[in-house]
């Protein structure tokens, strides 16, 4: 995974050096990164399944495995679909973000557990349902035209709320839950790193004039995303492992 990350970073900055802040040039040059990022996501998912066999709680191990299936599907959407069908760039983004919504919702459920027998729903589940209902109502009620651009904007906005809620739950809830102290610490820092990484994802979606300020911010932000994403995912996985005696 470290080798793939170094290769990805080196190619990202080489492309930035050769293309500058030109969105189309960077996109055309990024084929290798799609492959390396898919590979890292696959390795993270395999690691989640391996580590969960030594989970401090079988239930937490199951939740982790389910969550990482959706994380892998989301990363596949961001990488493989763009690689195979470059013309569907925007559609792959919407699908990837929607799958990460499921991932974050599962993390909220996971991190709010108080015991293995706790089957209660997180206190914010009604809020999440209302949020998704409101997002659907925006289009169903005719407030926005049903276009891919508008769907993307609403999807990003909804995900931002879910991500923020997931980070807050990840910081606060494990302290009162059944996670061992070290595991809870991994969750807290993992969710903070994930939040920062997704803020960089948001900045990377900015678009502006070639060599302009917005395009430069977008290109530079994109080059740092996986340096937060990988540690975040590793800490979320590590939080499942049974503490050493």
């Amino acid at each position: 995974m470290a080798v793939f990350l170094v290769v990805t970073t080196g190619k990202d900055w080489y492309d930035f050096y050769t293309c500058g802040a030109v969105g189309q040039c960077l996109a055309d040059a990024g084929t290798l990164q799609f492959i390396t990022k898919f590979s890292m996501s696959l390795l993270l998912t395999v690691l989640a399944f391996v580590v969960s066999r030594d989970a401090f709680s079988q239930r937490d191990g199951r939740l982790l495995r389910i969550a990482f299936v959706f994380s892998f599907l989301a990363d596949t959407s961001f990488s493989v679909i763009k690689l195979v069908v470059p013309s569907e760039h925007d559609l792959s983004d919407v699908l990837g973000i929607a799958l990460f919504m499921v991932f974050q919702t599962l993390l909220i459920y996971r991190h709010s557990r108080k015991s293995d027998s706790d089957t209660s729903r997180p206190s914010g589940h009604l809020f999440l349902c209302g949020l998704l209902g409101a997002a659907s109502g925006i289009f169903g009620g005719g407030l926005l035209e049903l276009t891919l651009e508008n769907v993307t904007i609403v999807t990003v906005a909804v995900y931002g709320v879910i991500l923020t809620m997931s980070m807050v739950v990840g910081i606060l809830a494990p302290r009162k839950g059944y996670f061992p102290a070290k595991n809870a610490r991994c969750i807290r820092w993992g969710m903070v790193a994930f939040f920062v990484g997704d803020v960089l994802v948001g900045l990377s979606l900015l678009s502006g004039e070639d060599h302009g300020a917005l395009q430069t911010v977008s290109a530079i932000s994109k080059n740092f995303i996986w340096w937060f994403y990988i540690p975040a995912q590793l800490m979320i996985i590590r939080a499942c492992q049974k503490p050493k005696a």
Side-chain angles (χ1 to χ4, degrees):
M1 205 178 302
V3 171
F4 282 127
L5 183 58
V6 169
V7 171
T8 301
T9 303
K11 186 62 164 55
D12 277 341
W13 286 107
Y14 174 78
D15 291 345
F16 183 71
Y17 175 76
T18 55
C19 290
V22 180
Q24 191 58 52
C25 179
L26 291 170
D28 293 340
T31 300
L32 176 63
Q33 291 92 309
F34 287 142
I35 297 171
T36 55
K37 289 173 182 177
F38 172 80
S39 300
M40 287 188 285
S41 179
L42 177 61
L43 287 173
L44 283 168
T45 305
V46 171
L47 184 64
F49 274 75
V50 171
V51 170
S52 64
R53 287 162 33 182
D54 188 35
F56 75 93
S57 158
Q58 289 188 357
R59 185 179 182 188
D60 190 65
R62 286 194 300 271
L63 285 171
L64 184 74
R65 291 192 290 271
I66 295 170
F68 268 81
V69 168
F70 282 97
S71 175
F72 175 69
L73 291 174
D75 283 331
T76 299
S77 176
F78 282 126
S79 55
V80 175
I81 292 180
K82 290 178 182 176
L83 182 62
V84 176
V85 193
S87 60
E88 299 298 335
H89 184 281
D90 291 339
L91 182 60
S92 73
D93 283 342
V94 171
L95 179 58
I97 295 169
L99 288 165
F100 266 125
M101 284 185 193
V102 180
F103 173 70
Q104 293 294 349
T105 302
L106 286 167
L107 290 187
I108 291 172
Y109 182 77
R110 177 201 183 201
H111 298 157
S112 61
R113 299 303 84 209
K114 295 181 177 63
S115 69
D116 275 342
S117 59
D118 180 8
T119 58
S120 63
R121 296 173 182 174
S123 56
H125 79 281
L126 289 177
F127 172 75
L128 292 179
C129 292
L131 183 66
L132 294 174
S136 301
I138 288 175
F139 297 106
L143 297 177
L144 279 178
E145 185 181 352
L146 187 60
T147 64
L148 186 56
E149 181 181 1
N150 287 338
V151 170
T152 303
I153 293 171
V154 172
T155 303
V156 170
V158 171
Y159 178 70
V161 176
I162 294 175
L163 172 67
T164 302
M165 182 176 177
S166 183
M167 181 184 67
V168 172
V169 170
I171 291 173
L172 299 179
R175 297 178 180 178
K176 310 174 195 175
Y178 72 121
F179 287 93
K182 290 183 178 179
N183 301 49
R185 192 156 53 245
C186 283
I187 290 172
R188 290 198 292 273
W189 286 110
M191 291 312 304
V192 169
F194 206 110
F195 182 85
V196 174
D198 272 348
V199 169
L200 292 174
V201 171
L203 292 174
S204 74
L205 295 176
L206 296 173
S207 60
E209 296 181 0
D210 289 344
H211 303 297
L214 283 179
Q215 198 63 50
T216 301
V217 169
S218 172
I220 293 175
S221 298
K222 177 176 170 288
N223 292 358
F224 284 104
I225 292 170
W226 282 74
W227 283 93
F228 286 91
Y229 182 69
I230 292 293
Q233 294 285 59
L234 288 175
M235 284 187 278
I236 290 170
I237 293 170
R238 175 63 182 82
C240 176
Q241 194 170 27
K242 188 184 302 179
K244 303 300 180 184

